Amino acid sequence: MTTVAIVGAGLVGRLLAVQLARQKDVSISLFDEDSTEGENAAAYLAAAMLAPLAESVDASEMVTQMGERSLQLWPEILALLDEPVFFQHKGSLILSYEQDRPYLEDFYRRLKRSDQAQVISSQQIADIEPCLKEHARRFSAGLFLPNEGQLDNRQLLSSSATTIQNLGVKWLSKTTVELDLNSSKVNGESFDWIFDCRGLGAQDDLPKQNKLRGVRGEVIRLHAPDVELSRPTRLIHPRYPIYIAPKQNHQFVVGATQIESEDRRQPTLRSAMELLSSCFSVHSGFAEAEILELKSGLRPALLDNEPKIIHRKHNNIIQINGLYRHGFLISPALVEQAICLMTTTDNNQDLPVYNKLIEVIDK
Protein backbone atom coordinates (compact mmCIF):
# COMPACT_ATOMS: atom_id res chain seq x y z
CA MET A 1 0.00 0.00 0.00
CA THR A 2 1.40 3.38 -1.07
CA THR A 3 0.68 6.13 1.44
CA VAL A 4 0.12 9.62 0.05
CA ALA A 5 -0.33 12.92 1.88
CA ILE A 6 -1.93 15.85 0.12
CA VAL A 7 -1.32 19.09 1.96
CA GLY A 8 -3.84 21.75 1.00
CA ALA A 9 -7.43 21.07 -0.04
CA GLY A 10 -7.88 23.85 -2.54
CA LEU A 11 -8.61 23.17 -6.19
CA VAL A 12 -5.39 21.27 -6.98
CA GLY A 13 -5.47 19.27 -3.75
CA ARG A 14 -9.04 18.15 -4.40
CA LEU A 15 -8.38 17.16 -8.00
CA LEU A 16 -5.39 15.13 -6.86
CA ALA A 17 -7.41 13.41 -4.16
CA VAL A 18 -10.28 12.54 -6.51
CA GLN A 19 -7.94 10.93 -9.03
CA LEU A 20 -5.38 9.30 -6.75
CA ALA A 21 -8.03 7.75 -4.50
CA ARG A 22 -9.23 5.71 -7.46
CA GLN A 23 -5.84 4.06 -7.95
CA LYS A 24 -5.32 0.61 -6.52
CA ASP A 25 -3.32 0.18 -3.31
CA VAL A 26 -3.11 3.92 -2.58
CA SER A 27 -4.07 5.36 0.80
CA ILE A 28 -4.74 9.10 0.81
CA SER A 29 -4.59 11.56 3.71
CA LEU A 30 -5.74 15.11 2.93
CA PHE A 31 -4.60 17.87 5.30
CA ASP A 32 -5.99 21.39 5.32
CA GLU A 33 -6.46 24.28 7.74
CA ASP A 34 -9.72 25.25 6.01
CA SER A 35 -13.12 23.62 6.30
CA THR A 36 -14.32 21.09 3.72
CA GLU A 37 -16.27 23.92 2.04
CA GLY A 38 -12.96 25.54 1.07
CA GLU A 39 -14.13 29.07 1.78
CA ASN A 40 -10.56 30.32 2.23
CA ALA A 41 -9.26 28.76 -0.98
CA ALA A 42 -8.48 30.96 -3.98
CA ALA A 43 -10.83 28.72 -5.97
CA TYR A 44 -13.79 29.78 -3.83
CA LEU A 45 -13.79 33.31 -5.31
CA ALA A 46 -12.88 32.37 -8.87
CA ALA A 47 -15.07 32.84 -11.94
CA ALA A 48 -13.81 29.45 -13.22
CA MET A 49 -13.54 30.55 -16.84
CA LEU A 50 -11.75 28.11 -19.12
CA ALA A 51 -10.36 30.58 -21.60
CA PRO A 52 -6.96 29.57 -22.99
CA LEU A 53 -7.19 31.83 -26.02
CA ALA A 54 -8.32 34.97 -24.18
CA GLU A 55 -5.65 34.44 -21.51
CA SER A 56 -2.98 33.91 -24.18
CA VAL A 57 -2.85 37.69 -24.66
CA ASP A 58 -0.82 37.99 -21.46
CA ALA A 59 0.03 34.38 -20.61
CA SER A 60 2.98 32.37 -21.92
CA GLU A 61 2.84 29.70 -24.60
CA MET A 62 3.19 27.08 -21.85
CA VAL A 63 0.14 28.35 -19.96
CA THR A 64 -1.81 28.51 -23.22
CA GLN A 65 -0.95 24.90 -24.01
CA MET A 66 -1.87 23.80 -20.50
CA GLY A 67 -5.17 25.62 -20.79
CA GLU A 68 -5.96 23.86 -24.05
CA ARG A 69 -5.10 20.51 -22.51
CA SER A 70 -7.15 21.22 -19.39
CA LEU A 71 -10.20 22.10 -21.46
CA GLN A 72 -9.98 18.57 -22.87
CA LEU A 73 -9.54 17.04 -19.41
CA TRP A 74 -12.33 18.82 -17.54
CA PRO A 75 -15.21 16.67 -18.87
CA GLU A 76 -13.31 13.53 -17.84
CA ILE A 77 -12.71 14.93 -14.35
CA LEU A 78 -16.32 16.02 -13.88
CA ALA A 79 -17.45 12.53 -14.86
CA LEU A 80 -15.58 11.19 -11.80
CA LEU A 81 -17.59 13.31 -9.37
CA ASP A 82 -20.63 12.09 -7.46
CA GLU A 83 -22.65 15.29 -7.91
CA PRO A 84 -23.25 17.28 -11.13
CA VAL A 85 -21.26 20.45 -11.81
CA PHE A 86 -22.35 23.16 -14.25
CA PHE A 87 -20.01 23.00 -17.26
CA GLN A 88 -20.29 24.99 -20.45
CA HIS A 89 -18.30 24.95 -23.67
CA LYS A 90 -19.97 27.69 -25.74
CA GLY A 91 -17.09 30.08 -26.28
CA SER A 92 -16.63 33.59 -24.94
CA LEU A 93 -17.35 37.09 -26.17
CA ILE A 94 -15.00 40.09 -26.15
CA LEU A 95 -16.54 43.56 -26.41
CA SER A 96 -15.28 47.14 -26.54
CA TYR A 97 -16.72 50.61 -26.84
CA GLU A 98 -15.95 52.59 -30.00
CA GLN A 99 -13.43 54.78 -28.16
CA ASP A 100 -11.66 51.67 -26.90
CA ARG A 101 -11.49 49.92 -30.25
CA PRO A 102 -7.67 50.34 -30.51
CA TYR A 103 -7.40 48.26 -27.33
CA LEU A 104 -9.57 45.56 -28.88
CA GLU A 105 -7.38 45.53 -31.97
CA ASP A 106 -4.30 45.25 -29.78
CA PHE A 107 -5.95 42.38 -27.88
CA TYR A 108 -6.57 40.59 -31.17
CA ARG A 109 -2.97 41.06 -32.36
CA ARG A 110 -1.63 39.59 -29.12
CA LEU A 111 -3.70 36.41 -29.29
CA LYS A 112 -1.37 33.44 -29.69
CA ARG A 113 -3.91 31.64 -31.87
CA SER A 114 -5.57 34.57 -33.64
CA ASP A 115 -6.85 32.25 -36.37
CA GLN A 116 -9.18 30.75 -33.74
CA ALA A 117 -10.86 34.11 -33.06
CA GLN A 118 -13.69 35.57 -35.09
CA VAL A 119 -13.92 39.34 -35.58
CA ILE A 120 -17.61 40.22 -35.35
CA SER A 121 -19.79 43.26 -36.01
CA SER A 122 -22.47 44.80 -33.82
CA GLN A 123 -25.11 42.76 -35.64
CA GLN A 124 -23.16 39.54 -35.12
CA ILE A 125 -22.81 40.36 -31.43
CA ALA A 126 -26.61 40.50 -31.24
CA ASP A 127 -26.87 37.22 -33.18
CA ILE A 128 -24.51 35.43 -30.79
CA GLU A 129 -26.05 36.98 -27.67
CA PRO A 130 -29.68 37.89 -28.41
CA CYS A 131 -30.06 39.56 -25.02
CA LEU A 132 -27.61 42.22 -26.25
CA LYS A 133 -29.73 43.10 -29.28
CA GLU A 134 -30.78 46.45 -27.82
CA HIS A 135 -27.29 47.12 -26.48
CA ALA A 136 -25.09 45.90 -29.35
CA ARG A 137 -24.97 49.32 -31.00
CA ARG A 138 -22.86 50.47 -28.05
CA PHE A 139 -20.09 48.20 -29.29
CA SER A 140 -18.50 48.92 -32.66
CA ALA A 141 -17.01 45.45 -32.91
CA GLY A 142 -16.10 42.42 -30.89
CA LEU A 143 -14.40 39.05 -30.92
CA PHE A 144 -15.94 35.63 -30.56
CA LEU A 145 -13.65 32.89 -29.21
CA PRO A 146 -15.59 29.67 -29.87
CA ASN A 147 -13.29 27.17 -28.14
CA GLU A 148 -13.65 28.42 -24.58
CA GLY A 149 -15.79 27.44 -21.63
CA GLN A 150 -16.50 27.75 -17.93
CA LEU A 151 -17.78 25.81 -14.94
CA ASP A 152 -19.24 26.60 -11.53
CA ASN A 153 -16.40 26.86 -9.04
CA ARG A 154 -18.43 26.35 -5.88
CA GLN A 155 -20.34 23.41 -7.28
CA LEU A 156 -16.95 21.91 -8.16
CA LEU A 157 -15.62 22.42 -4.61
CA SER A 158 -18.79 20.95 -3.10
CA SER A 159 -19.00 17.97 -5.46
CA SER A 160 -15.32 17.15 -5.09
CA ALA A 161 -15.66 17.26 -1.29
CA THR A 162 -18.55 14.78 -1.40
CA THR A 163 -16.65 12.52 -3.80
CA ILE A 164 -13.45 12.59 -1.75
CA GLN A 165 -15.32 11.61 1.40
CA ASN A 166 -17.24 8.87 -0.44
CA LEU A 167 -13.91 7.47 -1.70
CA GLY A 168 -12.74 6.97 1.88
CA VAL A 169 -9.99 9.59 1.87
CA LYS A 170 -8.84 10.51 5.37
CA TRP A 171 -9.62 14.24 5.38
CA LEU A 172 -8.15 16.21 8.27
CA SER A 173 -9.85 19.59 7.85
CA LYS A 174 -9.41 22.58 10.17
CA THR A 175 -6.05 21.10 11.09
CA THR A 176 -2.80 22.97 11.66
CA VAL A 177 -0.34 21.53 9.16
CA GLU A 178 3.39 21.05 9.71
CA LEU A 179 5.29 19.79 6.68
CA ASP A 180 8.84 18.53 7.22
CA LEU A 181 10.61 18.68 3.85
CA ASN A 182 13.64 16.78 5.16
CA SER A 183 11.95 13.75 6.64
CA SER A 184 8.86 13.44 4.40
CA LYS A 185 6.54 13.87 7.34
CA VAL A 186 3.27 15.71 7.78
CA ASN A 187 2.32 16.43 11.38
CA GLY A 188 4.88 13.86 12.46
CA GLU A 189 3.56 11.06 10.22
CA SER A 190 5.71 9.59 7.43
CA PHE A 191 4.35 9.08 3.91
CA ASP A 192 5.67 7.46 0.73
CA TRP A 193 4.65 10.53 -1.29
CA ILE A 194 3.70 14.08 -0.31
CA PHE A 195 1.95 16.62 -2.54
CA ASP A 196 2.21 20.19 -1.27
CA CYS A 197 -0.67 22.24 -2.72
CA ARG A 198 -0.95 25.01 -0.13
CA GLY A 199 -0.64 28.04 -2.41
CA LEU A 200 0.41 31.07 -0.38
CA GLY A 201 0.62 28.84 2.69
CA ALA A 202 3.81 27.35 1.23
CA GLN A 203 5.69 30.66 0.97
CA ASP A 204 8.35 29.61 3.47
CA ASP A 205 8.84 26.10 2.06
CA LEU A 206 9.63 26.75 -1.60
CA PRO A 207 13.20 27.07 -2.92
CA LYS A 208 14.52 30.64 -2.64
CA GLN A 209 14.44 31.19 -6.41
CA ASN A 210 10.70 30.48 -6.39
CA LYS A 211 9.43 33.47 -4.46
CA LEU A 212 5.67 33.61 -4.02
CA ARG A 213 3.56 36.74 -3.88
CA GLY A 214 -0.15 37.34 -3.59
CA VAL A 215 -2.08 38.92 -6.46
CA ARG A 216 -5.34 40.53 -5.44
CA GLY A 217 -8.62 39.71 -7.13
CA GLU A 218 -11.98 41.38 -6.48
CA VAL A 219 -15.22 39.62 -7.30
CA ILE A 220 -18.89 40.52 -7.20
CA ARG A 221 -21.67 37.93 -7.37
CA LEU A 222 -25.00 39.13 -8.68
CA HIS A 223 -28.48 37.77 -9.20
CA ALA A 224 -29.89 39.42 -12.33
CA PRO A 225 -33.19 37.89 -13.52
CA ASP A 226 -33.43 40.44 -16.34
CA VAL A 227 -30.16 39.41 -17.98
CA GLU A 228 -29.90 36.39 -20.28
CA LEU A 229 -26.17 36.29 -21.14
CA SER A 230 -25.33 32.74 -22.16
CA ARG A 231 -21.52 32.76 -22.13
CA PRO A 232 -18.61 34.59 -20.42
CA THR A 233 -18.26 38.13 -21.72
CA ARG A 234 -15.26 40.42 -21.35
CA LEU A 235 -15.29 44.17 -21.71
CA ILE A 236 -12.03 45.63 -22.98
CA HIS A 237 -11.00 48.77 -21.14
CA PRO A 238 -7.56 50.41 -20.82
CA ARG A 239 -7.65 50.49 -17.01
CA TYR A 240 -9.99 47.83 -15.70
CA PRO A 241 -10.86 45.09 -18.19
CA ILE A 242 -13.69 43.11 -16.62
CA TYR A 243 -15.32 39.75 -17.11
CA ILE A 244 -18.95 38.75 -16.61
CA ALA A 245 -19.41 34.99 -16.20
CA PRO A 246 -23.05 33.81 -16.22
CA LYS A 247 -23.81 30.84 -14.02
CA GLN A 248 -27.05 28.97 -13.45
CA ASN A 249 -30.25 30.58 -12.13
CA HIS A 250 -29.34 34.06 -13.39
CA GLN A 251 -26.31 34.37 -11.17
CA PHE A 252 -23.25 36.20 -12.49
CA VAL A 253 -19.65 36.40 -11.33
CA VAL A 254 -18.04 39.74 -12.17
CA GLY A 255 -14.42 40.73 -11.66
CA ALA A 256 -11.29 42.35 -12.99
CA THR A 257 -8.31 40.33 -14.12
CA GLN A 258 -5.69 41.28 -11.50
CA ILE A 259 -4.42 43.86 -9.07
CA GLU A 260 -0.74 43.83 -8.11
CA SER A 261 -1.29 44.10 -4.40
CA GLU A 262 -1.25 41.87 -1.33
CA ASP A 263 -3.89 44.04 0.32
CA ARG A 264 -6.28 41.69 2.13
CA ARG A 265 -9.02 44.27 2.71
CA GLN A 266 -12.44 43.82 1.21
CA PRO A 267 -13.04 45.48 -2.19
CA THR A 268 -12.75 49.25 -2.33
CA LEU A 269 -15.56 51.62 -3.23
CA ARG A 270 -13.77 52.59 -6.42
CA SER A 271 -13.41 49.00 -7.59
CA ALA A 272 -17.02 48.17 -6.78
CA MET A 273 -18.30 51.20 -8.68
CA GLU A 274 -16.16 50.44 -11.71
CA LEU A 275 -17.22 46.80 -11.87
CA LEU A 276 -20.90 47.52 -11.35
CA SER A 277 -21.03 50.42 -13.81
CA SER A 278 -19.31 48.26 -16.42
CA CYS A 279 -21.97 45.57 -15.95
CA PHE A 280 -24.70 48.16 -16.46
CA SER A 281 -23.00 49.45 -19.62
CA VAL A 282 -23.00 45.94 -21.10
CA HIS A 283 -26.65 45.28 -20.24
CA SER A 284 -29.08 47.69 -18.55
CA GLY A 285 -30.78 44.72 -16.89
CA PHE A 286 -27.99 44.71 -14.33
CA ALA A 287 -29.43 47.92 -12.86
CA GLU A 288 -31.89 45.89 -10.80
CA ALA A 289 -29.49 43.06 -9.99
CA GLU A 290 -29.22 41.93 -6.40
CA ILE A 291 -25.68 42.03 -4.99
CA LEU A 292 -25.18 38.63 -3.41
CA GLU A 293 -21.54 38.97 -2.48
CA LEU A 294 -18.66 41.42 -2.73
CA LYS A 295 -15.29 39.94 -1.80
CA SER A 296 -11.58 40.02 -2.48
CA GLY A 297 -8.81 37.47 -2.18
CA LEU A 298 -5.19 36.73 -2.99
CA ARG A 299 -3.94 34.26 -5.57
CA PRO A 300 -0.45 32.71 -5.39
CA ALA A 301 1.96 33.84 -8.11
CA LEU A 302 5.65 33.33 -8.78
CA LEU A 303 7.86 36.06 -10.19
CA ASP A 304 7.21 35.10 -13.82
CA ASN A 305 3.49 34.44 -13.26
CA GLU A 306 3.95 30.86 -14.43
CA PRO A 307 3.12 27.67 -12.54
CA LYS A 308 5.79 25.37 -11.18
CA ILE A 309 5.99 21.75 -10.11
CA ILE A 310 8.97 21.21 -7.81
CA HIS A 311 9.92 17.55 -7.57
CA ARG A 312 12.12 16.76 -4.57
CA LYS A 313 13.18 13.35 -5.82
CA HIS A 314 15.25 12.39 -2.80
CA ASN A 315 12.21 12.29 -0.52
CA ASN A 316 9.25 12.02 -2.94
CA ILE A 317 7.78 15.44 -2.29
CA ILE A 318 5.99 17.25 -5.11
CA GLN A 319 5.17 20.94 -4.66
CA ILE A 320 2.61 22.51 -6.99
CA ASN A 321 2.26 26.28 -6.88
CA GLY A 322 2.10 29.60 -8.72
CA LEU A 323 -1.22 29.11 -10.50
CA TYR A 324 -1.70 32.91 -10.48
CA ARG A 325 -5.10 33.78 -11.98
CA HIS A 326 -5.14 30.56 -14.02
CA GLY A 327 -6.29 28.06 -11.40
CA PHE A 328 -9.27 26.52 -13.18
CA LEU A 329 -7.66 27.10 -16.57
CA ILE A 330 -4.59 24.92 -15.96
CA SER A 331 -5.15 22.78 -12.85
CA PRO A 332 -6.16 19.56 -14.69
CA ALA A 333 -2.97 19.67 -16.78
CA LEU A 334 -0.88 20.36 -13.66
CA VAL A 335 -2.46 17.47 -11.79
CA GLU A 336 -1.92 15.18 -14.78
CA GLN A 337 1.78 15.99 -14.74
CA ALA A 338 2.11 15.66 -10.96
CA ILE A 339 0.43 12.25 -10.83
CA CYS A 340 2.68 10.97 -13.58
CA LEU A 341 5.74 11.90 -11.55
CA MET A 342 4.85 9.17 -9.06
CA THR A 343 4.15 6.55 -11.74
CA THR A 344 6.53 4.70 -14.05
CA THR A 345 7.79 6.54 -17.10
CA ASP A 346 6.44 3.77 -19.31
CA ASN A 347 2.96 5.17 -18.75
CA ASN A 348 3.92 8.73 -19.56
CA GLN A 349 5.09 8.52 -23.15
CA ASP A 350 2.09 10.42 -24.51
CA LEU A 351 2.07 13.09 -21.82
CA PRO A 352 2.37 16.67 -23.08
CA VAL A 353 5.72 18.31 -22.36
CA TYR A 354 5.69 21.87 -21.02
CA ASN A 355 8.95 23.77 -20.98
CA LYS A 356 10.07 25.07 -17.57
CA LEU A 357 7.16 23.49 -15.70
CA ILE A 358 9.00 20.87 -13.64
CA GLU A 359 11.98 21.74 -11.45
CA VAL A 360 13.86 18.74 -10.04
CA ILE A 361 15.76 18.84 -6.75
CA ASP A 362 17.90 15.75 -6.15
CA LYS A 363 19.07 16.53 -2.65
Side-chain angles (χ1 to χ4, degrees):
M1 180 70 69
T2 301
T3 58
V4 176
I6 300 173
V7 184
L11 177 59
V12 171
R14 291 173 191 236
L15 295 186
L16 276 167
V18 166
Q19 295 179 66
L20 285 174
R22 283 182 159 78
Q23 296 192 6
K24 292 183 179 180
D25 299 323
V26 176
S27 174
I28 310 292
S29 295
L30 177 59
F31 297 83
D32 196 68
E33 297 184 356
D34 200 359
S35 68
T36 57
E37 286 77 20
E39 293 181 350
N40 294 320
Y44 191 79
L45 286 179
M49 295 185 296
L50 312 176
L53 183 55
E55 290 297 322
S56 76
V57 169
D58 296 311
S60 68
E61 178 64 27
M62 180 182 76
V63 169
T64 302
Q65 291 174 351
M66 295 181 75
E68 293 167 342
R69 175 61 177 165
S70 293
L71 195 54
Q72 297 173 345
L73 293 173
W74 268 118
E76 300 175 16
I77 293 170
L78 297 181
L80 299 176
L81 302 181
D82 293 342
E83 297 173 349
V85 174
F86 169 70
F87 174 78
Q88 184 187 71
H89 194 175
K90 296 174 62 176
S92 61
L93 193 61
I94 316 294
L95 305 175
S96 76
Y97 304 124
E98 175 61 35
Q99 66 267 26
D100 295 327
R101 187 161 182 168
Y103 297 100
L104 180 69
E105 294 170 351
D106 180 64
F107 183 94
Y108 177 72
R109 284 193 297 269
R110 291 161 59 194
L111 291 171
K112 291 184 170 58
R113 317 271 193 275
S114 58
D115 60 316
Q116 297 179 13
Q118 302 172 17
V119 180
I120 54 177
S121 65
S122 295
Q123 181 57 53
Q124 289 171 311
I125 292 172
D127 292 340
I128 293 171
E129 282 291 353
C131 82
L132 294 179
K133 184 176 181 180
E134 297 181 3
H135 306 81
R137 64 180 180 274
R138 303 176 184 176
F139 309 108
S140 60
L143 298 173
F144 178 55
L145 314 182
N147 191 31
E148 302 207 322
Q150 64 161 331
L151 53 80
D152 188 296
N153 62 317
R154 294 186 181 175
Q155 287 182 12
L156 186 282
L157 291 175
S158 175
S159 182
S160 61
T162 299
T163 304
I164 288 166
Q165 291 165 331
N166 289 344
L167 288 169
V169 171
K170 182 181 179 182
W171 192 336
L172 295 93
S173 62
K174 297 183 179 180
T175 300
T176 301
V177 180
E178 295 183 5
L179 171 58
D180 188 335
L181 295 174
N182 297 316
S183 63
S184 301
K185 291 183 178 181
V186 180
N187 289 2
E189 183 179 355
S190 296
F191 292 89
D192 297 321
W193 287 87
I194 296 174
F195 291 87
D196 181 4
C197 315
R198 290 174 294 163
L200 287 171
Q203 277 183 314
D204 296 332
D205 290 323
L206 295 182
K208 291 183 179 179
Q209 67 271 24
N210 295 295
K211 185 177 180 181
L212 273 177
R213 75 187 194 283
V215 177
R216 180 178 169 91
E218 299 177 328
V219 174
I220 299 176
R221 285 182 173 261
L222 304 172
H223 178 240
D226 297 330
V227 182
E228 297 283 350
L229 276 177
S230 58
R231 56 181 53 79
T233 300
R234 299 182 187 230
L235 178 62
I236 298 295
H237 188 279
R239 188 159 58 87
Y240 52 92
I242 72 159
Y243 57 78
I244 304 171
K247 308 302 182 181
Q248 292 176 306
N249 303 318
H250 292 279
Q251 290 198 20
F252 296 82
V253 179
V254 183
T257 53
Q258 66 184 36
I259 302 172
E260 279 293 338
S261 169
E262 292 190 337
D263 187 350
R264 293 182 180 270
R265 294 180 303 157
Q266 289 304 305
T268 62
L269 175 65
R270 174 181 175 179
S271 293
M273 291 179 63
E274 289 176 342
L275 292 176
L276 293 172
S277 63
S278 295
C279 286
F280 177 72
S281 71
V282 171
H283 194 296
S284 59
F286 281 113
E288 297 301 320
E290 177 186 4
I291 299 175
L292 302 177
E293 190 175 284
L294 176 58
K295 287 189 175 182
S296 65
L298 299 181
R299 295 162 289 187
L302 296 168
L303 293 176
D304 58 2
N305 295 334
E306 300 208 343
K308 182 73 71 175
I309 295 178
I310 300 166
H311 185 194
R312 299 176 183 268
K313 292 183 69 174
H314 60 291
N315 53 7
N316 288 344
I317 295 177
I318 295 173
Q319 297 177 284
I320 307 170
N321 219 313
L323 276 69
Y324 188 39
R325 67 178 191 225
H326 303 131
F328 282 89
L329 177 66
I330 64 174
S331 54
L334 275 171
V335 168
E336 180 182 49
Q337 293 279 329
I339 290 176
C340 284
L341 287 175
M342 64 172 285
T343 62
T344 60
T345 56
D346 293 340
N347 297 328
N348 306 337
Q349 294 177 355
D350 297 327
L351 196 68
V353 176
Y354 309 108
N355 294 332
K356 301 190 300 180
L357 174 63
I358 298 174
E359 177 180 326
V360 178
I361 299 177
D362 288 321
K363 60 180 180 178

